[in-house]
């Protein structure tokens, strides 16, 4: 379905249509309107609604006028990106989630576009029953047989790559009785590991970017909800700050965020030279191969890319343990970020690997932080006001202070949904005043 949004359609969406046969069409139009309004604030020519040339006595007319200039094209292929739900702030009801109570989707209002979904050992894209590249992405639970893990190829303005996501508590993907799309086994990737969550991102930067200006973390679209006891919040922030000294944490803003330098935060970072990396050639078929932090003198270490001119001493970690190698890399890149050194830069001719894992996150009966015997499990639904966790990284423009995403995915849990639904209703009530 390819369609162009007109101002008449936008007005029709705003007043609604209550007939049952038009419900699905109205829902589709609403999602398109949401994306068009967002695009008004991110026009390619640099204009913004608050610019003087965009001012109007009726700001909604300005939105509709500029939104009319945007053509929204929905894919004519089933289960492809984008779909009718891709740009909706509130996802479908959890009863529709293929791996309930958990769901992952590309973040709305970002330029993370899904190229396709496939098995890790294959190049061709497949349709996995119950999933959709626009709104429901598959989650691995670690029990997939070799070559059967499902990966997601994606692209943004600044990055193109592949994501492998594993959540220990995720249910198996639904399959028809005669399907062998995903084969499972008794053993698990998580066996013998404390972690409950792992994400692996491999890909290429489309242009050189300063490593110190690339960040990862959590970004929220509305204020925090009811926070846990203050001592828990303080302890958690202090704990994270110990691991990431360059933590930028704001809880009291309209849009809270937790951001840390990308290279200083990832548990494993690899760099691979390949002059032939162009277009989709960087999309990976070896995503299940275990990765580990290289020695600082190896070509695959990002430490080898630090120029002598910035005055940073890099020790030889050949005989060091993996944990110590990680610690050295994190310490050095935290210092580089603190000094705001533009160098080193991500090389657009290289492939980079970023691995993240986490043992504090619990995806059981509710989304929670497992604080151990001292604090127990602390639910995140009320504290986040129903906002999902993100797998994200972004480039920060130092002059404008703006973030341009490299990748962004939302991780939902059913426990978030009622809070998110109430927040959406409050938003609609304000808009109707």
């Amino acid at each position: 379905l390819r369609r162009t949004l007109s101002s008449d359609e936008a007005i029709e969406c705003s007043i609604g249509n209550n007939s049952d046969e038009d419900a699905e069409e109205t829902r589709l139009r609403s999602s398109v309107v949401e994306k068009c309004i967002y695009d008004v604030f991110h026009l390619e020519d640099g204009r913004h609604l608050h610019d003087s040339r965009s001012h109007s006595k009726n700001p909604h007319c300005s939105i509709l006028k500029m939104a009319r200039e945007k053509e929204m094209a929905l894919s004519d292929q089933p289960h492809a990106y984008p779909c009718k739900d891709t740009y909706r702030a509130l996802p479908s009801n959890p009863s529709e989630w293929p791996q309930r109570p958990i769901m992952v989707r590309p973040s709305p209002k970002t330029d993370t576009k899904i190229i396709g979904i496939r098995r890790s050992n294959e190049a061709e894209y497949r349709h996995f029953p119950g999933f959709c590249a626009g709104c429901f992405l598959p989650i691995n639970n670690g029990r997939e047989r070799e070559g059967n893990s499902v990966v997601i190829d994606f692209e943004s303005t600044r990055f193109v790559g592949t994501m492998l996501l594993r959540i220990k508590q995720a249910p198996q993907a639904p399959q028809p009785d005669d399907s062998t799309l995903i084969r499972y086994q008794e053993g698990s990737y998580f066996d013998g590991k404390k972690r409950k969550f792992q994400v692996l991102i491999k890909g290429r930067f489309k242009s050189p970017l300063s490593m110190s200006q690339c960040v990862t973390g959590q970004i929220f679209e509305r204020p925090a909800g009811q926070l846990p006891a203050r001592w828990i919040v303080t302890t958690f922030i202090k704990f994270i700050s110990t691991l990431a000294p360059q933590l930028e944490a704001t809880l009291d803003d309209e849009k809270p965020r937790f951001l840390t330098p990308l290279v200083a935060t990832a548990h494993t970072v690899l760099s691979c030279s390949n002059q032939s990396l162009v277009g989709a050639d960087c999309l990976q078929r070896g995503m299940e191969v275990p990765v580990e932090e290289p020695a600082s003198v190896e070509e695959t270490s990002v430490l080898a890319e630090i120029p002598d001119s910035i005055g940073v001493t890099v020790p030889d970690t050949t005989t060091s343990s993996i944990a110590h190698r990680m610690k050295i890399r994190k310490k050095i890149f935290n210092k580089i970020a603190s000094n705001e050194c533009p160098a080193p830069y991500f090389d657009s001719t290289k492939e980079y690997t970023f691995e993240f894992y986490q043992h504090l996150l619990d995806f059981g009966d509710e989304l929670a932080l497992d604080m151990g015997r001292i604090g127990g499990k602390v639910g995140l639904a009320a504290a986040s006001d129903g906002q999902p966790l993100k797998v994200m990284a972004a480039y920060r423009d130092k002059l404008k202070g703006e973030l341009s995403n490299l990748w962004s995915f939302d991780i939902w849990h059913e426990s978030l949904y009622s809070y998110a639904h109430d927040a959406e209703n409050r938003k609609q009530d304000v808009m109707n005043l």
Side-chain angles (χ1 to χ4, degrees):
L1 176 63
R2 182 175 296 273
R3 51 182 302 164
T4 303
L5 182 71
S6 70
S7 58
D8 291 339
E9 287 175 324
I11 293 171
E12 181 181 347
C13 289
S14 67
I15 61 176
N17 190 325
N18 295 323
S19 63
D20 292 338
E21 63 269 20
D22 288 338
E24 185 63 20
E25 179 69 6
T26 300
R27 183 182 182 192
L28 183 154
R29 288 178 175 178
S30 297
S31 66
V32 173
V33 168
E34 287 178 2
K35 181 61 168 63
C36 282
I37 291 175
Y38 171 78
D39 282 344
V40 166
F41 295 89
H42 295 74
L43 298 178
E44 294 177 357
D45 60 6
R47 289 178 295 151
H48 296 273
L49 182 64
H50 55 73
D51 289 346
S52 59
R53 52 184 150 178
S54 300
H55 283 172
S56 166
K57 292 182 179 179
N58 186 344
H60 299 289
C61 291
S62 298
I63 291 176
L64 291 175
K65 181 179 179 181
M66 285 186 278
R68 187 170 53 192
E69 301 173 1
K70 289 283 184 178
E71 178 179 342
M72 289 306 301
L74 301 184
S75 174
D76 57 0
Q77 299 296 320
H79 317 297
Y81 179 99
C83 71
K84 59 183 175 57
D85 291 327
T86 296
Y87 305 116
R88 293 181 61 83
L90 187 69
S92 301
N93 189 281
S95 62
E96 301 179 31
W97 299 357
Q99 290 177 282
R100 184 179 185 180
I102 313 172
M103 186 270 285
V104 174
R105 65 172 180 167
S107 301
K109 302 183 181 181
T110 71
D111 66 348
T112 299
K113 299 176 175 61
I114 306 304
I115 300 172
I117 304 171
R118 57 184 173 83
R119 293 199 301 195
S120 63
N121 64 344
E122 297 177 342
E124 65 269 18
Y125 297 122
R126 296 173 176 264
H127 168 56
F128 294 84
F131 296 99
C132 170
C135 58
F136 296 139
L137 301 177
I139 308 166
N140 302 286
N141 64 11
R143 295 192 177 276
E144 296 77 17
R145 291 187 183 180
E146 184 177 352
N148 279 250
S149 295
V150 182
V151 299
I152 298 142
D153 293 335
F154 66 92
E155 183 174 16
S156 68
T157 303
R158 298 180 180 273
F159 190 87
V160 56
T162 303
M163 178 178 75
L164 168 66
L165 173 65
R166 291 182 173 118
I167 297 178
K168 184 177 182 178
Q169 293 157 295
Q172 291 186 1
Q175 297 187 85
D177 293 338
D178 60 347
S179 174
T180 57
L181 277 178
I182 305 176
R183 297 177 183 269
Y184 292 92
Q185 60 187 8
E186 289 299 319
S188 171
Y189 158 83
F190 292 103
D191 289 345
K193 298 180 176 68
K194 190 176 181 180
R195 69 193 68 164
K196 303 175 185 177
F197 166 94
Q198 185 221 21
V199 62
L200 197 69
I201 302 284
K202 287 188 178 183
R204 176 181 63 86
F205 292 84
K206 294 183 177 180
S207 61
L209 295 178
S210 170
M211 292 186 185
S212 65
Q213 291 177 231
C214 292
V215 297
T216 186
Q218 299 297 317
I219 299 177
F220 300 101
E221 293 298 318
R222 58 179 181 272
Q226 182 180 351
L227 296 175
R230 191 163 190 84
W231 74 267
I232 294 179
V233 175
T234 303
T235 301
F236 176 71
I237 292 178
K238 285 183 178 179
F239 170 71
I240 297 299
S241 298
T242 301
L243 301 178
Q246 297 305 309
L247 172 69
E248 174 193 330
T250 56
L251 285 174
D252 301 327
D253 289 358
E254 288 297 307
K255 295 187 176 183
R257 58 173 57 182
F258 298 86
L259 296 174
T260 56
L262 173 61
V263 182
T265 303
H267 289 84
T268 308
V269 182
L270 298 174
S271 169
C272 177
S273 296
N274 191 337
Q275 298 296 328
S276 66
L277 284 177
V278 293
D281 290 342
C282 67
L283 304 181
Q284 297 301 307
R285 289 191 287 276
M287 296 292 290
E288 292 179 319
V289 177
V291 297
E292 64 177 34
E293 188 74 19
S296 58
V297 295
E298 295 181 32
E299 290 185 359
T300 54
S301 173
V302 288
L303 292 172
E305 300 183 28
I306 298 176
D308 296 336
S309 59
I310 67 173
V312 174
T313 302
V314 179
D316 185 344
T317 60
T318 301
T319 60
S320 301
S321 65
I322 299 301
H324 185 67
R325 292 176 182 179
M326 293 165 52
K327 183 178 180 180
I328 292 297
R329 187 232 325 141
K330 290 171 177 280
K331 181 178 180 180
I332 289 176
F333 276 95
N334 271 314
K335 180 178 180 181
I336 290 174
S338 175
N339 294 337
E340 299 185 345
C341 298
Y345 293 84
F346 287 113
D347 188 334
S348 59
T349 67
K350 292 184 176 183
E351 166 201 295
Y352 290 89
T353 299
F354 303 93
E355 181 190 33
F356 305 85
Y357 48 82
Q358 183 59 256
H359 69 278
L360 293 176
L361 287 174
D362 189 90
F363 295 88
D365 295 334
E366 63 174 334
L367 182 62
L369 282 177
D370 189 346
M371 305 293 287
R373 289 176 296 179
I374 297 177
K377 292 183 180 179
V378 181
L380 295 177
S384 67
D385 194 30
Q387 298 178 84
L389 297 179
K390 291 190 183 297
V391 174
M392 64 80 66
Y395 172 74
R396 191 206 309 265
D397 187 311
K398 287 179 61 177
L399 296 178
K400 298 180 180 179
E402 298 175 352
L403 295 177
S404 173
N405 81 278
L406 303 171
W407 58 81
S408 186
F409 300 89
D410 289 355
I411 302 180
W412 283 83
H413 189 279
E414 185 173 357
S415 59
L416 302 174
Y417 194 81
S418 62
Y419 293 91
H421 188 272
D422 290 346
E424 189 67 15
N425 286 340
R426 293 196 302 270
K427 175 182 169 183
Q428 294 298 325
D429 290 343
V430 171
M431 293 176 64
N432 291 333
L433 291 178

